Amino acid sequence: MKKLLPTLVIICSILSCQDEISNEIKEQYNSNQQQNGSIIEGRLFFKSEEDFREYHSNLDSKEIDQISNEMETKLYSKNFISLVPYISEHSTPSVVEKISKSYSNSIPEDDILEHFDDLEDILGDDLFASLLNSNSEIQIGDDIYKYTDQGLFIVNKDKYNNLEKFILNYDVHSLNDVQNIQKFKNRLDYNPSGGLVQLEDGISHYINYSDDNFEENSKDSKNHKISNRNNFDLESIANNLAECNLKSPFLGNLFGTTKVCINRYQRRRRVKLKYYNVDLKLVYAIGIKVKNQRRHVLWFNERAEKIVLGINSITWGFHHKSDFSKIRNLRLSGVATYFVNNISTSNNPYHVSGRQIFKDNGFGQITHVSPYYSPKLPFEKKLKLDAVVEFALDNRLIKNEEDARFAFYKFAYGKVEGLLNQLGNDRLKRVGVVMITPDDYWVQFYDFSNSCNSCRRLEHVFDWGIMTPTFTYNFGAGSGSQDINIKSFSGDLKKSNVLGISAFGMIKNSNNWHGNKFNLGIKK
C-alpha cells in the first residue's frame, strides 16, 4: 500500500499536466479562431466595430483584382460564402460554381442574378455586401448582425435560437431568401417608430423609416462642365447623354436612399450609375459611382478604355434663419470668401503659396486675408478639393438643388476659376461650396474632372464610417462671418432637408461612348 500511494500521486500529476496542456491548446485554438477576419460558424468575425472598419478600409483601398484575389484566397477557399460575391474576370471557375450551388436548383439563374443586383443596391457598398455571409450575417464581438427584409436584427450569439423563433413568428426573411423575400408596406408592429429598440433580452432591432418624397427633376441640365483643356469634346458628349429613368431596388430604400440607372449597350455589357446614402447601423455609406460591367454568370466590373464621372452638383440643404441686415445696409447682393488649397508657387499677384484665404468685398475686388489651416467640409480632405467657396446671398428664391446650382454658376464659378488662374493653379477641378441665404444653408460639391483610363469603375465616397455623419461648419477664418451674424452651424449629411444631385457617368469602349445623366431632387 505504501508503494501504491507514490505511484498514484505521480499518475495524478501527469493527468493534471495533461489537463493543463489541453486547456492551453484549447485557449490557443479559441484565440486563433477569434482573430479579426476569421470565420466562425460561417460568419466573418471582428472584435469590435472599429476593427471591422479598419479591415474594410484597408481592403477597399486595393485594386479590384487584388480584392477579389484576397477574398478568394483568404475567405472563399475556406468555404466562406458571401451574400453578394466579390469577383472579377480573373476569379477561378470554382468560386463562381460554389456560389451558384449555394442557391436552390429550382431558382432560375436570371432571378439569382437580379437578386444580387438588388442586394448590392440596397446595401450600397459592394465590399460590405461581400463581407456578409450567405445568411446576411456578420459577428462583431458577442453580437451577430443579421440584415433582413424587415431591417437589421442585432442578437447576442447565445440568444440566436430566440431570434430564429422571432423571425419565424413575424415572417422575416434573410436577404438571401430569393423566393420569399418581400417588401413590407406598413410600419412594423414591433418597431413602429424606427431606430434601435430592444425587443427582448439579447435581441434588438434597427430600422430607419424613410418618408422621402422622390422627385426626378423634369428640367434637363446643360451645365455638364469638364475641367480639362483637352476635353471639351467630353463636355459635348456628356450634354448629349440620355436622361436616366431612375429606379430603386426591389425592397425600396430599406436602409436609406439608393437610386440607380443602367445603360445596357450590349447583350452582356452595361454601364451602371448609382447614388447611395445608406445607414446600416454598423456603418453608414454615402457616395456615387459609375461602373462598366460584363455578365458572365454574374455581373462583374470590366475594364473600359475610359470612364468619366461628372458631378455637376450634389447639394445638401438645411433650413436655418440668418440675419442679413448688415449686408442689406451695405446694399450688397452678397459677399464671398475663397479657401484655396495647395497654391504651388508664390509667383502670383498675392505672393502667397500653400493654403490661403481670399475675400470678395461684394464689389468684385478680391483681397488676400490669411493662411488657411483646418478643413472646412467633412469631405474636403478625402476628395482633395481645389477650393471651398463660402458665400452669403440675399436671395429667398433658392429652394432646391437646381436653384442652388444656378446660383453657384452665376455668382461664384467664374470668380473662383479666375482666382485659381491668377494663383497659377490648374483649372478648377473639384470645389466645395457653402451658400447662406436668409432661410437656408446649402452645402455643395462639384467635380469637373473625374476620369480614368483603362479602369473598371469610378466612385466618390463622401463619407463611410461608424458614427453619424454630422459636422460643424465654422464661418470665415474661424471667428465667424463679419457680414452676417453667424459663427457656425451643425449639419448631418444623412438628415438634410433637401438633397439634390445632377450627375452623369459614361464609359468609352471601341471608340463609342455609353452612359446616362440624371437629375434627382429629394424633399423631406
Side-chain angles (χ1 to χ4, degrees):
M1 185 67 180
K2 288 181 180 180
K3 290 182 180 180
L4 181 60
L5 283 174
T7 304
L8 288 172
V9 169
I10 293 171
I11 293 171
C12 288
S13 297
I14 293 171
L15 291 174
S16 176
C17 288
Q18 286 178 335
D19 287 341
E20 289 179 9
I21 293 171
S22 177
N23 288 334
E24 286 179 10
I25 292 172
K26 188 179 293 184
E27 287 175 8
Q28 183 66 38
Y29 174 78
N30 289 334
S31 176
N32 290 335
Q33 283 287 94
Q34 296 193 347
Q35 294 299 312
N36 287 321
S38 60
I39 302 170
I40 298 179
E41 296 182 357
R43 308 179 191 96
L44 275 184
F45 170 85
F46 295 91
K47 295 178 182 178
S48 68
E49 293 180 345
E50 190 59 39
D51 288 332
F52 168 76
R53 184 183 184 184
E54 183 178 354
Y55 179 93
H56 179 285
S57 179
N58 290 337
L59 192 55
D60 196 41
S61 65
K62 300 178 180 180
E63 295 294 326
I64 290 175
D65 287 339
Q66 292 176 306
I67 298 174
S68 64
N69 181 64
E70 191 159 330
M71 293 291 292
E72 184 170 343
T73 56
K74 294 185 177 180
L75 298 179
Y76 298 151
S77 64
K78 298 177 182 178
N79 295 320
F80 177 79
I81 301 176
S82 294
L83 176 65
V84 180
Y86 201 109
I87 63 173
S88 71
E89 64 263 44
H90 301 300
S91 298
T92 60
S94 61
V95 171
V96 179
E97 184 180 350
K98 185 185 294 184
I99 293 164
S100 300
K101 286 183 177 179
S102 67
Y103 286 85
S104 169
N105 292 330
S106 63
I107 303 176
E109 180 182 305
D110 283 347
D111 287 356
I112 297 174
L113 190 65
E114 187 176 341
H115 182 67
F116 281 144
D117 240 15
D118 272 334
L119 291 183
E120 188 251 306
D121 294 339
I122 291 165
L123 297 170
D125 183 79
D126 307 27
L127 182 55
F128 180 83
S130 72
L131 296 176
L132 299 180
N133 72 359
S134 58
N135 288 322
S136 56
E137 298 172 348
I138 191 169
Q139 184 172 338
I140 308 294
D142 290 333
D143 290 330
I144 295 169
Y145 288 63
K146 185 177 185 67
Y147 293 87
T148 74
D149 60 357
Q150 294 185 24
L152 168 66
F153 291 88
I154 303 174
V155 57
N156 183 282
K157 59 185 178 62
D158 296 329
K159 302 288 185 178
Y160 191 83
N161 289 340
N162 294 350
L163 176 63
E164 288 182 318
K165 295 175 184 176
F166 183 94
I167 283 175
L168 187 63
N169 289 338
Y170 283 90
D171 197 26
V172 182
H173 306 98
S174 293
L175 292 180
N176 69 319
D177 194 348
V178 180
Q179 293 178 311
N180 296 309
I181 196 169
Q182 55 190 329
K183 182 179 180 178
F184 61 88
K185 298 179 179 179
N186 301 309
R187 294 190 173 226
L188 302 168
D189 292 339
Y190 54 85
N191 188 359
S193 300
L196 181 66
V197 298
Q198 184 169 343
L199 302 177
E200 56 184 76
D201 183 36
I203 301 177
S204 298
H205 177 261
Y206 179 80
I207 192 167
N208 185 9
Y209 293 115
S210 175
D211 295 323
D212 295 343
N213 177 29
F214 300 102
E215 299 176 346
E216 186 177 355
N217 292 343
S218 58
K219 294 183 179 179
D220 183 17
S221 169
K222 294 297 183 183
N223 289 319
H224 298 303
K225 293 185 178 293
I226 297 176
S227 179
N228 186 317
R229 289 181 174 87
N230 299 317
N231 274 349
F232 292 113
D233 59 324
L234 294 185
E235 194 170 313
S236 174
I237 293 167
N239 283 326
N240 289 319
L241 290 174
E243 194 79 15
C244 179
N245 182 21
L246 293 167
K247 70 168 188 174
S248 296
F250 166 70
L251 289 178
N253 296 290
L254 179 61
F255 294 106
T257 300
T258 301
K259 286 293 178 181
V260 179
C261 61
I262 292 174
N263 176 223
R264 194 87 166 255
Y265 63 92
Q266 291 179 6
R267 190 170 67 88
R268 290 185 172 271
R269 284 184 169 86
R270 69 183 188 180
V271 181
K272 186 174 185 179
L273 180 63
K274 178 173 73 174
Y275 167 79
Y276 57 94
N277 184 337
V278 293
D279 182 357
L280 304 169
K281 187 66 179 80
L282 176 58
V283 295
Y284 66 84
I286 306 173
I288 186 168
K289 66 179 73 174
V290 59
K291 300 187 286 188
N292 183 54
Q293 295 185 314
R294 180 165 70 91
R295 176 177 172 177
H296 178 63
V297 182
L298 305 173
W299 286 106
F300 62 84
N301 299 335
E302 183 182 50
R303 197 177 301 276
E305 293 173 27
K306 191 178 190 72
I307 298 181
V308 180
L309 173 60
I311 300 179
N312 305 311
S313 70
I314 179 167
T315 301
W316 295 271
F318 303 89
H319 297 327
H320 196 285
K321 297 290 184 182
S322 302
D323 181 0
F324 270 66
S325 57
K326 188 172 182 180
I327 289 179
R328 289 167 186 161
N329 290 337
L330 293 172
R331 297 183 178 179
L332 298 175
S333 59
V335 292
T337 306
Y338 308 102
F339 302 84
V340 181
N341 290 307
N342 304 320
I343 303 170
S344 57
T345 175
S346 60
N347 185 22
N348 56 63
Y350 302 95
H351 306 292
V352 294
S353 61
R355 309 176 74 210
Q356 301 289 336
I357 304 174
F358 300 84
K359 187 166 184 176
D360 186 328
N361 66 356
F363 298 99
Q365 296 176 333
I366 296 178
T367 57
H368 175 250
V369 178
S370 66
Y372 171 26
Y373 297 107
S374 59
K376 302 289 287 182
L377 292 171
F379 48 78
E380 180 175 345
K381 187 175 181 181
K382 186 178 184 68
L383 297 181
K384 299 178 181 178
L385 303 185
D386 294 321
V388 173
V389 179
E390 173 190 299
F391 68 106
L393 191 64
D394 191 6
N395 187 328
R396 296 179 182 274
L397 300 179
I398 298 175
K399 299 296 182 183
N400 54 42
E401 182 274 338
E402 187 177 24
D403 295 340
R405 173 161 40 93
F406 177 79
F408 166 72
Y409 282 125
K410 182 176 181 180
F411 298 109
Y413 176 80
K415 289 184 178 181
V416 70
E417 187 175 45
L419 176 60
L420 286 181
N421 288 337
Q422 277 189 308
L423 295 170
N425 283 23
D426 291 334
R427 290 172 67 90
L428 183 61
K429 296 175 183 176
R430 296 178 183 173
V431 61
V433 177
V434 175
M435 187 188 312
I436 311 106
T437 66
D439 297 322
D440 301 283
Y441 300 149
W442 301 90
V443 176
Q444 298 176 302
F445 170 72
Y446 296 80
D447 189 337
F448 313 114
S449 67
N450 203 14
S451 65
C452 63
N453 297 315
S454 188
C455 52
R456 297 179 177 88
R457 71 175 181 185
L458 274 177
E459 181 172 18
H460 272 318
V461 179
F462 298 101
D463 225 334
W464 197 98
I466 299 294
M467 297 165 54
T468 304
T470 57
F471 66 94
T472 298
Y473 184 87
N474 296 307
F475 287 93
S479 59
S481 173
Q482 302 302 311
D483 304 298
I484 48 178
N485 299 322
I486 302 172
K487 287 189 176 181
S488 65
F489 82 94
S490 295
D492 185 331
L493 297 184
K494 285 195 62 59
K495 297 180 180 179
S496 60
N497 300 110
V498 178
L499 171 68
I501 308 167
S502 174
F504 66 91
M506 58 187 188
I507 68 99
K508 181 183 180 183
N509 265 335
S510 301
N511 290 320
N512 292 315
W513 286 95
H514 311 278
N516 286 108
K517 58 185 174 183
F518 72 79
N519 294 288
L520 174 68
I522 301 173
K523 296 179 181 180
K524 302 179 182 180

